[in-house]
Amino acid sequence: MSQWEKLTKMPSAFTQQLHDLYEKEALPMDVRHYLSAWIESQPWQRAAADYDLALVLFQGLLENLDIQYSRFLQEESFLMQHNIRRYKQNFQRYQEDPCILAGNICWFLEKEKAILQTADLAEQVQSLQVEQGGFVSSTQQDLDRRTASLKNEVQCMEHTVACLEEQQDEFDFKYQTYCMEAVASKAEKDKFQILINKVNECRQNTLVGLNKLLTNAKALTTLVKKELAQWQRRQQKACLGAPDSVCLDQLEKWFTCVAECLFQVRGFLCKLEELVGKVTYENDPVKAQKPLLQGKTEEILTDLLMSSLVVEVQPSMPQGKGPLVLRTGLQFSVKTRLLVKFPELNRSMKVVTSMDCEAPQIKGYRHFNLLGTVTKALTMAESQSGGMAAEFRHLHSPPPQTLKEQKSGGGGKGANDLSLSVTEELHIIYFDTLFELKGVAVKLQASSLPVVIISNSSQQQSAWASVLWFNTLSLDTKDILFFANPPAATWQQFGQMLSWQFVSAAQRGLNDDQLEMIAQKLFDKQESYDVCSVPWAKFSKEKSPDTFWVWFDGIVVMVKSYLEDLWRDGLIMGFVSKGKERTLLKKKQGGTFLIRFSESVVGGVTFSWVETITGDPKVKTIQPFTKSDLSQIPFHEIIRNFLILEDENVPENPLLYLYPDTPRDQAFGKYYADKTGNDSPYLKYIKTRLVFVSKGNTLEAVPLMLTDVPHDQHPQPMNGEGGGAAGASGDCLETHLDLHVDPVLDPMLYDSAANSGEDVMYSSSPFVDSEPLDASLLAPAL
């Protein structure tokens, strides 16, 4: 398929670009259409530099026009006969220099290719998005279309200015020749008047085109800045764990395109000034309109450039919970990026950092300086995509003793006028640079999102709570006094923010049922939580153990550290109340279990199962495991090796089906290190087993070390300090006591230990809410 055929079959959104390209008479669209095959087969680029070849092609063009004229004559198409005759007459002006004609046709063919490439790229992007099940927003599609259209307008304007210069040079040459003659006839004067009228008309058209181009550039700049604001909001949410894209490549493409077009417009205006210097006349439109167009161009370009410096990566420490929490004396990194990509500016623009330039001068508010390398050059080497970036890797704030000297006024924590705590005090880092290119100089500034600066790791949890609250609720990224009167969060905002914490920790957020349990914990049971709101004090400021955030963050940390895979795969129900847990399990077959987070133990996880041996189903729950347990034994191994040993019965694992009905080993099998529990590397390494012993109405934990002993010695239950009684700390692997095993009481356990040489440790974790048991129960859980 020829290039012209492809152009005529483009989507309507790109057909307009083709019509705009052929608005001028340099190459009429009729000629391009009827001679398309011949035109595309000729070496126009070589002819533009070869006079003899250009002359041959020029003669060939005229011959083909004669053929088309004869064809329309036979078809009695009077209008096309007229048009072809007129086109041939217009082409006669290239007889003296056919290279200009060859260059013009070559230019048109290249612009056609650019339009086709843009259309093909848009089609590929749309196809890719359909394959991936995604979509490109209508705003992005509109921006792509507008930037492509603006580039096309600039290219057409380039050709228009070139034609104006050619026409003016022709007039100037003939006019100078005319002035050298002593006498000129009236006919010659009329001829020159026609020429100058054409120059004037061409100047008028050029100015109209420039004005239209600037109007479109201003509208596009407004759209690009709106998209930048949307990106900044996405970045705020991404800092909290939201899975939003914060890639800047598309924005950089739009910013750079508009900036390049505006710099080209400045070049066109300079060319017009040059032409006016050569030829001018009374009521010259360029003299009257150029200053206005120049001012409009500078205004739009400055507006665009002042938004082009952004913080691509917000301040963060390697040791922190997340970005925007900094600690005095410790290094942090931050990265800036210039969205206007001009390779000639590589390494020439210096970015300088500072802090608290606009900090309030109120009593007790701390003021910081930055230490380390505070000046860096924007360079393409700092960005994987080749953008203009500057990454600061070794910035840090002074230590606390320096901060005390920098305080404004007296008083310490809690003594300032606003009664802000250290973790509610917000600070901003600023980045300044100077953009200088082709006579344009603009000062640029970007600022980070507000950061919280702490002096002790114990403040980190509260500081992260402040970061979450601010970036969830505030759209004003410079509101450093936000916590003087912090707003409440709606349940929708609050629930979404909590879900992002799990997305960030383990790539899986909270579902509606899990959020409902949290809502019940906060508001008690209601018909609808949409009208509920959470105040800042209830979220983080109430004293422990009532602080919601301490409880919730403990769970997030535990999941990220020990349960990430299980949570990501949806094996942990997590947030479910005890009441709902019983309702769910009692409807299921015996041995069905679920895993949930403790409502009372910070950072605790437990499992409950249902027994249906006789009578009504009974739900049993184990005391929560904490990080001290999970740091030694993976949770899936605890589930896998958990056993109930009843007197005179074979030991068995009561955990058979993960709720609702997935067999245990099918659910957790892929995490097992081997196929059999007895050969587990965790058992070989730790050489312990968790055993739960029934005592009265509860299952008391008794840690036991196995040794070869006479058969007449019996194990003694643990009491006091040595025993770690039920309901103790819950750190089930921290206490143990060397005891003997009675082979009569537990011959199976004794034989197993004697043959393997392993130790067995009883856990200090009792059953909770369990029914009285008649027989002695032993439950080795590993």
Side-chain angles (χ1 to χ4, degrees), residues 573-676:
M573 187 172 292
F575 294 99
V576 54
S577 65
K578 292 180 180 178
K580 187 170 183 179
E581 172 191 71
R582 293 177 182 277
T583 301
L584 293 175
L585 289 177
K586 285 188 175 182
K587 297 177 181 178
K588 308 302 293 185
Q589 60 183 318
T592 302
F593 68 100
L594 60 80
I595 306 169
R596 66 174 177 85
F597 303 129
S598 173
E599 295 184 62
S600 56
V601 177
V602 174
V605 61
T606 185
F607 50 80
S608 302
W609 71 94
V610 61
E611 289 184 354
T612 56
I613 300 175
T614 58
D616 295 334
K618 298 291 190 296
V619 175
K620 298 186 180 297
T621 301
I622 202 71
Q623 181 172 313
F625 297 92
T626 60
K627 65 178 182 180
S628 61
D629 308 319
L630 302 179
S631 63
Q632 300 183 60
I633 305 176
F635 193 62
H636 60 266
E637 291 291 340
I638 295 176
I639 299 259
R640 177 190 186 186
N641 294 285
F642 184 74
L643 296 175
I644 292 287
L645 293 112
E646 293 186 285
D647 192 22
E648 299 181 356
N649 288 334
V650 177
E652 62 179 19
N653 190 332
L655 310 179
L656 302 180
Y657 307 100
L658 179 67
Y659 186 90
D661 52 17
T662 306
R664 180 195 66 234
D665 291 339
Q666 179 181 328
F668 297 92
K670 72 176 184 178
Y671 305 109
Y672 297 164
D674 53 12
K675 297 298 182 183
T676 62

Side-chain angles (χ1 to χ4, degrees), residues 640-742:
R640 177 190 186 186
N641 294 285
F642 184 74
L643 296 175
I644 292 287
L645 293 112
E646 293 186 285
D647 192 22
E648 299 181 356
N649 288 334
V650 177
E652 62 179 19
N653 190 332
L655 310 179
L656 302 180
Y657 307 100
L658 179 67
Y659 186 90
D661 52 17
T662 306
R664 180 195 66 234
D665 291 339
Q666 179 181 328
F668 297 92
K670 72 176 184 178
Y671 305 109
Y672 297 164
D674 53 12
K675 297 298 182 183
T676 62
N678 291 333
D679 296 330
S680 170
Y682 300 106
L683 296 180
K684 290 180 179 180
Y685 179 74
I686 301 173
K687 292 187 178 181
T688 62
R689 289 185 182 178
L690 301 181
V691 180
F692 300 95
V693 182
S694 174
K695 183 179 180 181
N697 292 338
T698 63
L699 290 179
E700 184 180 89
V702 182
L704 182 67
M705 307 295 292
L706 291 182
T707 58
D708 291 328
V709 296
H711 289 190
D712 58 349
Q713 296 186 14
H714 294 261
Q716 302 297 322
M718 293 174 55
N719 295 300
E721 292 185 5
S729 66
D731 296 334
C732 54
L733 298 177
E734 291 185 355
T735 60
H736 65 271
L737 180 67
D738 288 344
L739 298 174
H740 304 298
V741 175
D742 188 341

Side-chain angles (χ1 to χ4, degrees), residues 348-365:
S348 66
M349 294 177 62
K350 307 295 183 182
V351 179
V352 181
T353 61
S354 59
M355 182 178 277
D356 291 338
C357 298
E358 301 176 7
Q361 299 298 318
I362 59 176
K363 183 179 179 181
Y365 187 92

